[in-house]
Amino acid sequence: MAYGNGNKDLLHKAISIGVGDLTSAKLSDLRLLREKYVEAARTMTDLVFVAEPLAEAIDKATIDKKLCAFQKGYTGFNKAYLEKARIAVAGAINESRKRYFNGLIGRLVHCSEAIPARDRKEDSRKYFYVPQKIEDTVSKDDLRVLESRAKDQGPEAVLDLFRKVILHNNEIGLTDHQAQVIREIHRQVQEKHGRPLFGDRPDFVCQIHLDYRLLPGKVDPVERINGEARLLMDVANRKYCSFLEIANSAPRGKAIRIPLLLAGKALRTLFDAAGNPDENVQVNSVIVEIGQSRVEVKADLVRSKPELRNINDCEIFVGRDFGYANTVTVTAVKRDRDIDPGELKRILAFTKAEALDYLRTHYHDMDNVVARKRFSGRRFLKLIEKHCVHIDKLKSQIDSVYNKIGRLKGILAGYFGLDKDELIAEDLRITNPLIRMVHKKFFALLVRVQHLKALRRGLYSKIAGVKKSWFGFLSNVEREMAGEKGAVIREDMTLVTPEKETPEYKGRTFNKMINNGSKGQYIRRASDKFLWDGIPEIAVPSYYTSCTCTIHSLVDKPMRSGETFLCPKCGSERHADENASDTIANYLLLRPLLQ
């Protein structure tokens, strides 16, 4: 959400301004626009994509030069839309090349990294980046030498090393095992490298940032939409219907009119906390997203980066405990003393030992708590688990189909005298009835595996949607609790998923889905909202926050058992996550024990 086209003083946020019911004619026009965009993007991608970036150096300037030359001679498609496609292709190609080189360098820097025992399947490989056939004989010294070489030399020197081994088969200065590791890393990166795909999947969305060339009419639609949004300042208005006209895909074709529905809820970022129009927030541009069966129009809001409140001007501290069974537990406390900047800097740099000493020598009686909220994550986790079980079944089916494909390809390759890596044509004329049947089944299975992969991608999208919805709701709760005079205090930590031996363990796929950005995704989503509103956010050390009684300055892990926290001096049970969020909220407000 917070990005800025190179201007670090600006924040951007995209909000949906909706699409009403489209007539079949309008939807047909937009689908045609999408098809032409995809066709042009694919052609341009083929023109500049390099299968082996190590062998052919194509820089950003060369890519732009080739694509611009192509654009000049392309006909039958509105030039403005064509330019949007060119920009998208150039960005995708540059990102693909960057990812390729970073993959080589990053893997070499971490080539000695072993796969954790709990994540290994029986008889599976032990290292991420070492060929399985040498992992029992390769020495740690061999791997450390490669890592040191990658860290000490610049990126270009590392890429030259790969070029020497891969392109010129020159292994001078390397042991046989080191050369094999380099080849394995290249194989892994090359396997993932492919031309950027446009429109390859049904869920592909053609995203076009509109400018004056694509917006017919005398009135600037950005100014108009901004003005229409302001009409929602009237509390009696909750919605405002409007239309957006965009240029046709055909040069000089009739404009396409898209209905818009501006909703007050979606546009609330145009208003401050008191409900008054925020003059710092404006509609900056309009974006149209065209899918296969759905069209959405978005407005890009922009504002200057607000100055964060001074922590001593904040009246409320909202402490967050991010957990597993309970996704978020938050406690709001009143700030009851000023915080010295030097003391704050010292606290935020605590080591584990320093944090322990701090918690044992400081206290707070928790009389400043004004609110607590705890949100169970069980339904959220159960829904993710349900999708993960389905994903695991699909993975098993995909592996089974691939095994069958491999066997059939072996039969066909043997019959036609092909190498195992050679492609088999689908339009072959085969007289042998048995081979003809094998050939037909081979391509039927290829279609089947693509269908299974599409189903799997759909489940991954559903999981992403569940996270987005749940995390969006929770981050809004935090923002509302902080309000106009609050600050957010959170832990500086990483969520750890359940170990394989624990009852909570639900499989590698489930752990991957929880690990795959859950904590980081939530922090980014919440932090972006706080930054937009000028709410300060402070990450305190996470050591011992879940097993501390700040009332009695006791730190002892056995005091926490599951979701129950029991301090022997307090004598009463508290919810463990609420106790943790209390501790985090008052972390900076703890007072020294009297000697």
Side-chain angles (χ1 to χ4, degrees):
M1 181 179 71
Y3 54 92
N5 292 333
N7 189 340
K8 295 182 179 179
D9 294 326
L10 292 179
L11 300 178
H12 289 247
K13 179 189 292 188
I15 62 168
S16 175
I17 53 178
V19 171
D21 294 329
L22 292 169
T23 64
S24 58
K26 288 178 182 176
L27 191 55
S28 176
D29 286 341
L30 290 166
R31 282 176 177 163
L32 180 60
L33 169 56
R34 179 178 181 270
E35 289 172 8
K36 289 189 173 184
Y37 179 97
V38 167
E39 180 184 354
R42 286 176 175 173
T43 305
M44 287 189 280
T45 300
D46 291 340
L47 183 66
V48 294
F49 175 74
V50 175
E52 177 51 271
L54 285 174
E56 185 178 348
I58 179 168
D59 57 16
K60 186 176 182 297
T62 304
I63 291 171
D64 289 339
K65 184 177 179 180
K66 285 187 174 183
L67 293 181
C68 286
F70 169 84
Q71 181 180 333
K72 287 181 181 179
Y74 198 83
T75 59
F77 189 30
N78 187 307
K79 291 292 185 182
Y81 286 123
L82 183 61
E83 183 175 344
K84 300 296 181 182
R86 175 183 65 78
I87 293 171
V89 169
I93 291 291
N94 286 317
E95 181 61 30
S96 173
R97 184 169 56 100
K98 178 182 176 182
R99 191 163 52 242
Y100 185 89
F101 290 146
N102 286 346
L104 294 176
I105 297 168
R107 282 170 168 78
L108 194 62
V109 168
H110 299 285
C111 64
S112 69
E113 189 174 337
I115 300 173
R118 68 189 180 98
D119 289 338
R120 294 182 201 163
K121 293 181 180 178
E122 194 173 342
D123 299 326
S124 67
R125 57 192 304 151
K126 299 175 183 177
Y127 293 93
F128 287 109
Y129 312 123
V130 175
Q132 191 168 6
K133 63 182 179 181
I134 67 166
E135 59 186 10
D136 292 326
T137 55
V138 69
S139 70
K140 285 286 185 182
D141 286 340
D142 268 346
L143 300 178
R144 291 193 186 104
V145 167
L146 285 177
E147 286 184 340
S148 298
R149 190 167 177 176
K151 291 174 184 176
D152 297 340
Q153 299 179 357
E156 278 305 317
V158 176
L159 296 177
D160 285 340
L161 174 62
F162 276 98
R163 291 186 183 100
K164 185 177 77 169
V165 175
I166 303 302
L167 302 180
H168 306 297
N169 202 26
N170 182 351
E171 300 178 4
I172 296 174
L174 299 169
T175 67
D176 179 61
H177 282 161
Q178 288 173 340
Q180 289 191 58
V181 169
I182 289 174
R183 294 184 186 280
E184 171 63 16
I185 289 174
H186 175 265
R187 184 197 66 78
Q188 290 183 14
V189 174
Q190 184 65 36
E191 192 174 71
K192 290 179 176 290
H193 180 60
R195 60 174 36 81
L197 300 175
F198 291 88
D200 61 306
R201 298 188 337 215
D203 58 350
F204 171 78
V205 174
C206 170
Q207 186 182 76
I208 301 173
H209 290 252
L210 304 177
D211 59 35
Y212 70 95
R213 296 169 300 174
L214 300 173
L215 296 165
K218 297 180 180 179
V219 180
D220 183 348
V222 172
E223 292 183 10
R224 178 173 61 77
I225 290 173
N226 187 60
E228 290 168 353
R230 302 289 167 178
L231 292 175
L232 294 170
M233 291 185 296
D234 182 351
V235 294
N237 289 324
R238 287 291 177 264
K239 295 179 181 178
Y240 186 88
C241 296
S242 176
F243 289 91
L244 173 69
E245 286 191 344
I246 65 173
N248 200 293
S249 59
R252 294 178 296 279
K254 185 179 179 181
I256 305 171
R257 203 173 190 218
I258 305 175
L260 304 181
L261 181 64
L262 282 71
K265 182 178 179 181
L267 292 166
R268 61 185 171 187
T269 45
L270 288 166
F271 310 96
D272 60 24
N276 299 314
D278 189 341
E279 296 302 327
N280 295 315
V281 182
Q282 301 291 333
V283 176
N284 179 59
S285 62
V286 179
I287 306 159
V288 62
E289 296 183 347
I290 309 171
Q292 192 173 45
S293 58
R294 185 174 183 273
V295 179
E296 184 173 11
V297 178
K298 293 183 177 180
D300 171 35
L301 304 185
V302 65
R303 69 162 300 160
S304 57
K305 187 180 293 185
E307 185 177 347
L308 296 179
R309 304 165 194 158
N310 185 296
I311 192 168
N312 286 322
D313 291 334
C314 296
E315 298 177 2
I316 297 292
F317 284 178
V318 178
R320 174 209 307 159
D321 177 62
F322 191 97
Y324 181 70
N326 298 300
T327 308
V328 161
T329 304
V330 285
T331 298
V333 301
K334 290 183 179 179
R335 181 182 60 81
D336 52 16
R337 72 175 181 87
D338 284 345
I339 299 170
D340 179 77
E343 179 188 10
L344 175 62
K345 185 176 180 180
R346 183 181 68 86
I347 289 173
L348 299 186
F350 274 163
T351 63
K352 189 173 183 179
E354 289 170 336
L356 178 61
D357 180 66
Y358 175 74
L359 293 172
R360 282 177 171 171
T361 57
H362 291 70
Y363 81 101
H364 201 290
D365 53 20
M366 294 296 165
D367 59 346
N368 62 341
V369 174
V370 294
R372 292 188 184 95
K373 293 186 180 182
R374 171 165 40 92
F375 296 92
S376 172
R378 286 178 172 81
R379 186 169 177 270
F380 163 70
L381 295 172
K382 189 173 182 180
L383 190 53
I384 290 182
E385 181 188 3
K386 174 185 173 182
H387 293 320
C388 288
V389 169
H390 196 177
I391 287 172
D392 283 334
K393 289 180 180 178
L394 288 173
K395 283 182 177 179
S396 178
Q397 292 177 41
I398 289 169
D399 289 342
S400 176
V401 174
Y402 268 129
N403 288 334
K404 293 177 182 177
I405 288 173
R407 289 194 295 269
L408 296 179
K409 185 173 182 181
I411 295 173
L412 294 172
Y415 179 82
F416 293 112
L418 303 174
D419 291 335
K420 62 178 182 178
D421 295 328
E422 286 189 67
L423 296 177
I424 296 174
E426 189 174 1
D427 57 351
L428 293 175
R429 299 186 64 181
I430 304 171
T431 56
N432 186 311
L434 178 60
I435 298 300
R436 187 166 59 246
M437 181 187 69
V438 171
H439 182 266
K440 182 178 179 181
K441 189 173 182 181
F442 173 78
F443 281 96
L445 288 175
L446 288 177
V447 173
R448 171 66 176 164
V449 82
Q450 292 305 315
H451 173 68
L452 293 173
K453 286 183 175 182
L455 292 176
R456 185 177 61 179
R457 285 195 301 269
L459 291 171
Y460 282 132
S461 295
K462 287 183 178 180
I463 290 174
V466 170
K467 287 182 181 180
K468 182 178 179 180
S469 175
W470 182 230
F471 292 166
F473 165 73
L474 295 177
S475 56
N476 283 338
V477 170
E478 280 194 63
R479 181 174 61 179
E480 289 166 8
M481 289 182 72
E484 288 188 282
K485 297 182 179 180
V488 173
I489 316 295
R490 65 171 176 84
E491 292 177 293
D492 185 9
M493 68 169 292
T494 301
L495 179 66
V496 179
T497 47
E499 296 286 341
K500 193 171 184 178
E501 294 75 18
T502 63
E504 294 83 8
Y505 181 76
K506 295 179 173 64
R508 293 178 66 196
T509 302
F510 178 80
N511 268 9
K512 181 180 178 182
M513 290 301 101
I514 295 300
N515 271 333
N516 189 18
S518 283
K519 180 72 183 290
Q521 182 180 340
Y522 184 81
I523 289 175
R524 286 192 299 274
R525 178 173 288 262
S527 296
D528 282 345
K529 291 179 180 179
F530 303 151
L531 180 61
W532 184 273
D533 292 333
I535 299 172
E537 182 182 24
I538 298 172
V540 299
S542 63
Y543 311 115
Y544 306 108
T545 53
S546 64
C547 56
T548 296
C549 173
T550 55
I551 298 174
H552 296 101
S553 304
L554 288 178
V555 182
D556 192 6
K557 288 187 177 181
M559 289 195 296
R560 173 165 186 161
S561 177
E563 294 192 9
T564 301
F565 184 90
L566 176 60
C567 169
K569 289 190 176 182
C570 292
S572 59
E573 291 185 358
R574 301 195 289 272
H575 193 283
D577 290 340
E578 290 181 359
N579 181 77
S581 65
D582 289 354
T583 302
I584 295 165
N586 270 322
Y587 202 96
L588 303 176
L589 302 175
L590 299 181
R591 309 180 183 104
L593 287 170
L594 297 176
Q595 300 297 328

